[in-house]
Amino acid sequence: MTTKTSAYLEIRTDGPVASLVLNRPDKLNALTIPTLDALDQACGELERSRDIRVVILSSTNAKAFCAGADISEWGTLPPTDMWRLWTRVGHRIFDRLAQLPQPTIAAIDGLALGGGLELALACDLRVAGPASRFGLPETKIGAVPGWGGTIRLQGAVGVPQAKRLIFTGAQIDAAEALRIGLVQEVVASESAQTRVMELANEIAGNAPFAVRLTKQLLDAKTGGVPAETIAAGLAALLEDGQEGVRAFKEKRKPVFKDA
């Protein structure tokens, strides 16, 4: 296993599995701009990786996956900076995480609140420990979810349940999260990370290109990466696509054949 540490984020690589580990335990992994920047950089590396087949998102703090955005950092921002620097940046990076070609799994132990729940929702799968708690409490402080929570939550649990959670700002436990479909598994042990590694290795053992294509097809249905990128990639691999490139380089008219 190799480990690389950046601002509040550890990147661990174990064969075909990469783990992005939130590492601000004294602040319950509350998200800051440096943390978001580190996550952004990690996503950029993973997008280009041919070796990594599955990505895990976890925490070094057993009591908190992520307690949300750091209010001390964004609470004093003027409205223009809140929009320009905070919500837009976070939204873009969470979208980038959601659109990674590899399947992503959130290993959730402890709190996943506000931006922390939105971060987990940006992953394909969520596995929770028994002591985990979930919520979008923004309405309790006069705010609204700003990093994709309203869209992704309703995609996970349906519109009525999303409205219930957001309108009330209530926290729910792991059992309730499993019942409504917010998480896919609740482990019996104290930590979700062991089970998530097992699940990651199971996925990594399958044909990687087939898994990536399947993820893209499923995401296209929910407004993620468009399915046209699959068609574009396939067209480039076909003989006509290769002939078109050759003809362009050779400055001649291409001779196309039936597929």
Side-chain angles (χ1 to χ4, degrees):
M1 177 184 290
T2 60
T3 301
K4 182 170 65 175
T5 302
S6 59
Y8 308 125
L9 185 72
E10 289 184 3
I11 304 173
R12 303 172 185 170
T13 304
D14 187 0
V17 178
S19 295
L20 306 181
V21 187
L22 300 172
N23 189 25
R24 200 183 179 212
D26 57 321
K27 298 294 184 180
L28 302 180
N29 293 318
L31 297 170
T32 63
I33 291 297
T35 307
L36 292 174
D37 287 343
L39 182 61
D40 192 22
Q41 182 176 346
C43 287
E45 295 174 4
L46 290 167
E47 286 168 350
R48 297 185 292 272
S49 175
R50 291 175 175 265
D51 300 321
I52 299 302
R53 299 186 180 186
V54 183
V55 177
I56 294 171
L57 191 63
S58 63
S59 163
T60 57
N61 188 333
K63 295 182 178 180
F65 170 75
C66 177
D70 193 329
I71 296 179
S72 65
E73 181 159 323
W74 66 260
T76 59
L77 291 176
T80 52
D81 282 350
M82 181 66 178
W83 169 78
R84 180 174 61 89
L85 294 176
W86 194 256
T87 56
R88 285 171 58 85
V89 169
H91 211 287
R92 175 182 62 78
I93 295 169
F94 281 27
D95 282 350
R96 192 175 195 182
L97 173 65
Q99 293 170 11
L100 283 177
Q102 302 94 340
T104 54
I105 313 172
I108 304 165
D109 288 307
L111 300 175
L113 303 176
L117 178 52
E118 291 178 296
L119 183 61
L121 284 165
C123 295
D124 297 308
L125 302 173
R126 289 163 293 282
V127 176
S132 299
R133 296 192 66 82
F134 306 83
L136 291 175
E138 284 83 354
T139 55
K140 291 184 176 295
I141 58 170
V144 299
W147 288 341
T150 56
I151 300 300
R152 292 193 177 101
L153 182 61
Q154 64 176 284
V157 304
V159 173
Q161 290 286 9
K163 287 179 177 179
R164 174 174 73 93
L165 292 174
I166 295 173
F167 292 171
T168 65
Q171 293 185 23
I172 61 172
D173 61 17
E176 175 72 358
L178 179 64
R179 186 186 71 81
I180 66 175
L182 181 56
V183 301
Q184 282 64 61
E185 293 186 35
V186 175
V187 298
S189 62
E190 289 302 313
S191 174
Q193 297 192 34
T194 299
R195 170 55 186 149
V196 166
M197 183 58 73
E198 292 174 352
L199 184 59
N201 283 318
E202 182 178 355
I203 295 171
N206 295 332
F209 197 60
V211 171
R212 291 187 181 202
L213 284 175
T214 302
K215 172 175 175 172
Q216 189 164 328
L217 286 168
L218 291 167
D219 285 350
K221 181 69 174 178
T222 57
V225 179
E228 69 183 20
T229 60
I230 299 177
L234 178 60
L237 292 173
L238 296 175
E239 175 57 31
D240 279 354
Q242 296 179 17
E243 165 62 11
V245 172
R246 287 194 298 267
F248 177 81
K249 291 180 177 179
E250 297 168 6
K251 297 181 172 55
R252 61 173 174 81
K253 184 176 180 180
V255 179
F256 294 127
K257 301 176 182 178
D258 290 336

